[in-house]
Amino acid sequence: MKTNTFLASALLSFSGLLAGCDTSSPTPAAPAAAPVSSSADVEATCTAKGWAAQNGGTNGGGTATPTIVTTYDQLKAAITNSAVKVVQVNGTITIPSGGRISFQDQTNKTLFGSAGARLVSADQTKDGSGIIYVKRCSNIVIRNLVFEGPGAYDVDGWDNATVDACTRVWIDHCEFRDGVDGNLDFKNTADFITVSWTKFAYLKSPRPDGPGGSDDHRFSNLIGSSDTSTGDRGKLSITFARCWWAQGCVARMPRVRFGKVHVVNNLFGSSVSTSGVMAGFEANLLVQNNVFENMNRPIDLMANNATAVQVTGNVFTNVTGNTAGNGKTAFTPPYTLSVLAASNVKSAVTASNGAGATVGGNTCVNSGI
C-alpha cells in the first residue's frame, strides 16, 4: 500500500474517533463500497483496541496479499493452510452438511469478506451444524462477514462460530445470525479478544421440540462453557464495543462465566428477550454506556454468584426487570477507548457503516472504538 494512502486512511480513522467522543451524536463518514470482483480488496493496516490490544496486540495477517475464495472447497483450503495469511471471501458460500470448517493451530491470519459476502449453513443436526470452529489460534482477525445459520434448534448442536483456547482475536464488522446452538461463543481459556461493530440477530423462527428441552434456543453468545471450567479463571478477557443485539435474540447477550468482560457502547433491542447481559459464575462485568430498548431483564444477575457487576452510564427505555448491578466494582480496563455518551450510541451503531458486515472489505477506517 502506498504511503500517502495509508496516511489518508489513518487520518480519517483518527478524525472518526474524535467525532465519536463528541456529544453531538456522530455519524461516521460512509466508506466507499467495495466491489465483489476477482481483484484483491483493500488491505487493513491497523491493530485492534480493547482487550485484543493487550499482550502484543492483534492485526491478523496484516497486509499480506489476499487469497480470494468463491467456493466452499477454496474457503476450506485457504483457512486450513497456515501459509495463507489473508483470506478474502467473495459472494455467498454455502457450508455443506457436516462441512463445518476447523480453523486450528495457526497464527497471524485474517478472514474477511468483500461487500455482501456470506457464509451460510442449512444444517440443523447435532453433529453437522455450525460454520467455523477456531481453536488454539493467535493473532486472528475476522472482518466484514455474515455468518448465517439455519435457525435455533436445541439439539446440543454447534454455534455459527466458536472461539476455543485462542488468544488475541479481533472480530470486527461482522454479523452472526440464526445459529443452531448460538451465534458466537468463547470458551476454554480464550483470552484478549475484542468484538467491535458486530450485529447479532435471529431472523428465523426457532424450531421447537429439540431433545435439549428448549423450544426457543435463540441464545446468542456464551462466554465460558461450565462453572467447573476453573482453568478459565484469569482468562476470557473480552471487549464488546459498538455491537448490536437486534431483534430475535432471546438471551445470552452475552452470558459470562469467569471473564473480565467490558460491555461498552452497545445497542440492545430485542422485544422477545428474557435476559440481556447475564452475569454467571465468577463473572467480572463492566456494563458501560449502553442502550437497552424494549428488553426484559436487561441485566440478569442469575444466581448472584458473579464476582462483580458494575452498571454505569446506560440508558434504559421501555424495559422491565432488573437494571442494576450487584453493588461491586468491576475491573478497571488496562486500555483506553473513545467511549460515547449513551445518548449517541444508537445513531452510531445503526448507521450505514455501523454494526454488521458494512465496511465493504478489509478496511478498519470505520472500526475505531
Side-chain angles (χ1 to χ4, degrees), residues 30-51:
V36 178
S37 70
S38 60
S39 61
D41 218 327
V42 64
E43 299 161 352
T45 57
C46 62
T47 56
K49 294 193 175 182
W51 273 115

Side-chain angles (χ1 to χ4, degrees), residues 6-336:
F6 168 76
L7 290 174
S9 297
L11 289 171
L12 180 56
S13 177
F14 181 67
S15 64
L17 291 179
L18 291 177
C21 299
D22 196 305
T23 57
S24 60
S25 187
T27 301
V36 178
S37 70
S38 60
S39 61
D41 218 327
V42 64
E43 299 161 352
T45 57
C46 62
T47 56
K49 294 193 175 182
W51 273 115
Q54 305 301 295
N55 200 37
T58 304
N59 67 346
T63 59
T65 300
T67 294
I68 300 170
V69 300
T70 60
T71 69
Y72 170 77
D73 288 342
Q74 291 172 349
L75 174 68
K76 183 176 180 180
I79 287 178
T80 56
N81 184 350
S82 61
V84 175
K85 293 304 182 183
V86 179
V87 182
Q88 174 179 330
V89 178
N90 282 6
T92 296
I93 295 178
T94 298
I95 310 300
S97 181
R100 180 181 60 256
I101 296 175
S102 182
F103 178 5
Q104 296 191 7
D105 301 302
Q106 295 189 46
T107 60
N108 311 332
K109 192 157 187 167
T110 295
L111 171 65
F112 78 95
S114 58
R118 296 190 304 153
L119 303 180
V120 179
S121 170
D123 192 318
Q124 281 188 314
T125 66
K126 176 180 178 179
D127 296 325
S129 54
I131 294 173
I132 191 170
Y133 198 94
V134 189
K135 187 171 185 178
R136 295 186 303 269
C137 292
S138 181
N139 190 24
I140 304 299
V141 174
I142 301 176
R143 173 177 285 117
N144 203 55
L145 271 171
V146 175
F147 294 79
E148 180 180 333
Y153 183 39
D154 194 5
V155 291
D156 194 25
W158 294 80
D159 312 306
N160 280 340
T162 303
V163 176
D164 181 346
C166 297
T167 61
R168 299 160 56 210
V169 177
W170 184 16
I171 298 172
D172 177 60
H173 275 100
C174 286
E175 182 170 349
F176 296 85
R177 60 192 188 215
D178 296 306
V180 172
D181 188 64
N183 278 324
L184 171 65
D185 287 5
F186 303 90
K187 65 179 188 178
N188 293 339
T189 71
D191 208 8
F192 302 114
I193 293 163
T194 295
V195 185
S196 58
W197 298 105
T198 290
K199 186 176 182 179
F200 305 100
Y202 287 90
L203 307 181
K204 300 168 185 175
S205 297
R207 183 176 171 183
D209 302 320
S214 172
D215 286 339
D216 192 348
H217 204 273
R218 294 178 291 178
F219 302 159
S220 192
N221 309 99
L222 183 65
I223 298 173
S225 56
S226 171
D227 291 0
T228 62
S229 297
T230 54
D232 286 340
R233 286 184 177 133
K235 307 293 184 179
L236 299 174
S237 302
I238 303 175
T239 303
F240 287 91
R242 317 234 183 148
C243 296
W244 184 3
W245 281 269
Q247 191 61 25
C249 295
V250 167
R252 299 181 185 173
M253 307 181 217
R255 174 179 173 170
V256 179
R257 294 179 173 98
F258 296 107
K260 293 180 179 178
V261 178
H262 191 188
V263 181
V264 56
N265 281 168
N266 303 289
L267 174 63
F268 300 78
S270 176
S271 62
V272 300
S273 63
T274 59
S275 295
V277 179
M278 302 175 69
F281 186 67
E282 294 186 15
N284 192 335
L285 277 162
L286 176 57
V287 184
Q288 179 185 13
N289 290 35
N290 303 282
V291 173
F292 297 84
E293 296 181 339
N294 307 312
M295 298 275 293
N296 183 50
R297 200 182 293 115
I299 309 296
D300 188 347
L301 298 179
M302 303 186 71
N304 291 303
N305 56 16
T307 296
V309 184
Q310 183 179 352
V311 178
T312 179
N314 301 280
V315 171
F316 300 94
T317 303
N318 193 32
V319 302
T320 59
N322 184 59
T323 60
N326 65 357
K328 298 178 182 179
T329 301
F331 70 98
T332 299
Y335 51 78
T336 300

